[in-house]
Amino acid sequence: MDKLWDIVIVGGGLGGLSLAAELAAPQFAHLSILVLEKRTHYTRDRTWSYWTGSPHRYSHLERQRWHRWSVSLGGTVHTQSSDACAYATLDADAFYYAAADAIYAAPHIELRMDSAVAAIDKTNDAYTVRLQQGTFLQARTVLDARPARSSTPSHLVQQFAGWQVNTEHDVFDPGCVQLMAFEPHARGLHFWYVLPYSPRCALVESTWVSPASWQPDYQAELTHYVAKLCAGTAYTVDYTEQGVLNLQDAVPPAHSVHLAGLGRNGGTLRPATGYAFIDTLHHATQLAQSLACSAGAAHTGRAAAWQPAAFVRPRVEHWMDAVFLNVLARDWPRSPEYFMQMFGAVNAQTTVDFLTGKASWSQRLHVMRALPTMPFARAALSRTLGERV
């Protein structure tokens, strides 16, 4: 049996590392903190993108920013632009290394790689964490950052696969992000996402919002679409990524005083957009601040009195996200039209505020007026009554 740790963070991805990096500050040096990560090493395995707001701890690591973005369906294209805000992207390995450096510099925190967790059990005043290799450790507080998987084949997920493409000649417009180029499909909402790093380099992704049972043929899709984009220009692929986000995990899980969800497992993923990066960083900051204010941490040298701060998303956003996903799932082939109507009717600032959860009531009403009344009214009534209408 390992020693009794004050805090164990299960999962060393975005949620776990961002919190651990916050807790690497000297004010938490009296606590013993352990991060358990199942990977053996960190490498670039995904790309995080978001609209910029206030600078965050990792802003300096951003790979690129764009002030124009577009959505398209068939021959129709809606382009928005803003000098006040930008769409930014950050490679995962840059974040991993920066957060890990902060952790390694803190003597009171240990990061253990190749440490997959099999179970977490309550034992008296502590928790027992069992690793898959059969060893056990104990902790006063456990924060679980492992994202929940879809529990049934019918649950909605956002799944994607991408290639970083380098071309022989100029192909891409480096000044404009292709947020969504829709291809209507009966099995889900399908769109192409392109982050143009330069005229000859871009990340091209095939993205689906669909039931978990749907398994796209990414190799065939990407081969065909990239060839279409390049129009005969030779290209190479020097990086690939793939992932699945559970869109049903919208509400933070119930937690006891000393066992809580973290990151996507704590509700930081926005179901209607799939974005989680900024909210995950904000949640890590909230947790660190709540620990700093904890009487247990301040007066007894331990985290015994700490109640981890839950991530809270406004109830109206949960409701609107559920209604929106319900409408999409009722008629997948028509779902791209709803996005096109919204982007065509609202300005860039309203778009950004709505997608980042900062919209005012007037902005929310503007978005609602841009969408067709009947399908959304039906889904709203169904959601309100808790049954299909």
Side-chain angles (χ1 to χ4, degrees):
M1 182 73 72
D2 207 331
K3 71 178 183 180
L4 177 61
W5 295 85
D6 288 311
I7 300 171
V8 167
I9 299 172
V10 178
L14 173 60
L17 288 186
S18 59
L19 175 59
E22 295 293 333
L23 300 184
Q27 70 191 104
F28 303 111
H30 58 287
L31 299 173
S32 59
I33 302 170
L34 174 65
V35 183
L36 300 172
E37 170 53 39
K38 67 180 181 180
R39 282 173 280 196
T40 58
H41 63 283
Y42 287 112
T43 186
R44 183 184 176 194
D45 59 357
R46 66 196 62 215
T47 304
W48 288 300
S49 298
Y50 47 89
W51 273 271
T52 58
S54 302
H56 56 77
R57 181 181 182 129
Y58 306 97
S59 293
H60 64 289
L61 301 176
E62 291 171 354
R63 179 169 182 174
Q64 199 151 324
R65 289 187 172 195
W66 299 267
H67 289 274
R68 286 193 300 128
W69 49 89
S70 70
V71 296
S72 65
L73 174 62
T76 302
V77 180
H78 294 310
T79 301
Q80 296 182 337
S81 62
S82 172
D83 293 329
C85 61
Y87 192 74
T89 188
L90 190 154
D91 292 340
D93 55 341
F95 164 80
Y96 293 145
Y97 299 149
D101 284 347
I103 293 167
Y104 291 137
H108 61 289
I109 303 183
E110 181 181 340
L111 171 58
R112 289 187 191 174
M113 307 297 290
D114 196 19
S115 298
V117 170
I120 304 171
D121 300 305
K122 185 74 168 67
T123 55
N124 299 322
D125 295 328
Y127 286 88
T128 297
V129 180
R130 177 167 58 86
L131 303 183
Q132 287 186 357
Q133 57 263 47
T135 57
F136 295 82
L137 56 87
Q138 287 191 310
R140 291 185 173 88
T141 298
V142 175
L143 293 113
D144 191 351
R146 297 170 298 174
R149 295 186 177 184
S150 177
S151 58
T152 71
S154 63
H155 275 178
L156 295 184
V157 297
Q158 182 183 112
Q159 47 189 329
F160 59 90
W163 291 355
Q164 182 171 293
V165 175
N166 290 278
T167 62
E168 185 176 340
H169 303 294
D170 292 358
V171 169
F172 308 104
D173 175 4
C176 184
V177 171
Q178 178 181 287
L179 279 182
M180 292 176 282
F182 295 104
E183 288 190 352
H185 197 280
R187 299 298 297 272
L189 174 71
H190 182 218
F191 61 88
W192 293 96
Y193 174 66
V194 180
L195 295 179
Y197 301 128
S198 75
R200 301 189 183 187
C201 180
L203 178 66
V204 181
E205 289 195 348
S206 174
T207 303
W208 289 82
V209 176
S210 67
S213 59
W214 173 241
Q215 298 297 310
D217 185 351
Y218 289 122
Q219 183 69 27
E221 290 175 359
L222 285 162
T223 298
H224 174 76
Y225 191 73
V226 171
K228 177 182 174 182
L229 284 178
C230 293
T233 297
Y235 69 87
T236 58
V237 177
D238 60 6
Y239 165 74
T240 64
E241 65 181 34
Q242 187 169 338
V244 179
L245 306 175
N246 178 13
L247 301 184
Q248 302 299 134
D249 191 24
V251 181
H255 63 274
S256 65
V257 173
H258 296 294
L259 175 63
L262 180 62
R264 278 193 282 153
N265 195 34
T268 61
L269 177 74
R270 177 82 184 273
T273 66
Y275 291 112
F277 183 81
I278 293 297
D279 282 343
T280 299
L281 296 188
H282 287 168
H283 190 209
T285 301
Q286 289 177 326
L287 285 164
Q289 291 173 345
S290 70
L291 178 58
C293 296
S294 166
H299 301 303
T300 70
R302 297 294 180 187
W306 180 40
Q307 181 171 351
F311 179 81
V312 178
R313 193 181 299 283
R315 292 185 64 182
V316 64
E317 288 186 13
H318 283 298
W319 185 84
M320 292 184 72
D321 285 359
V323 168
F324 191 68
L325 291 174
N326 184 293
V327 172
L328 298 186
R330 285 172 183 260
D331 190 352
W332 290 118
R334 191 183 175 190
S335 58
E337 298 175 18
Y338 304 139
F339 286 89
M340 294 296 292
Q341 288 176 253
M342 184 185 77
F343 275 86
V346 304
N347 60 31
Q349 192 61 57
T350 297
T351 296
V352 173
D353 288 346
F354 182 73
L355 295 178
T356 57
K358 298 176 181 177
S360 64
W361 274 106
S362 63
Q363 288 175 311
R364 291 190 185 109
L365 290 173
H366 195 179
V367 170
M368 293 169 67
R369 284 196 297 268
L371 298 170
T373 302
M374 287 307 296
F376 282 88
R378 182 185 180 196
L381 182 60
S382 175
R383 176 70 179 177
T384 301
L385 297 178
E387 59 183 17
R388 299 183 70 86
V389 176

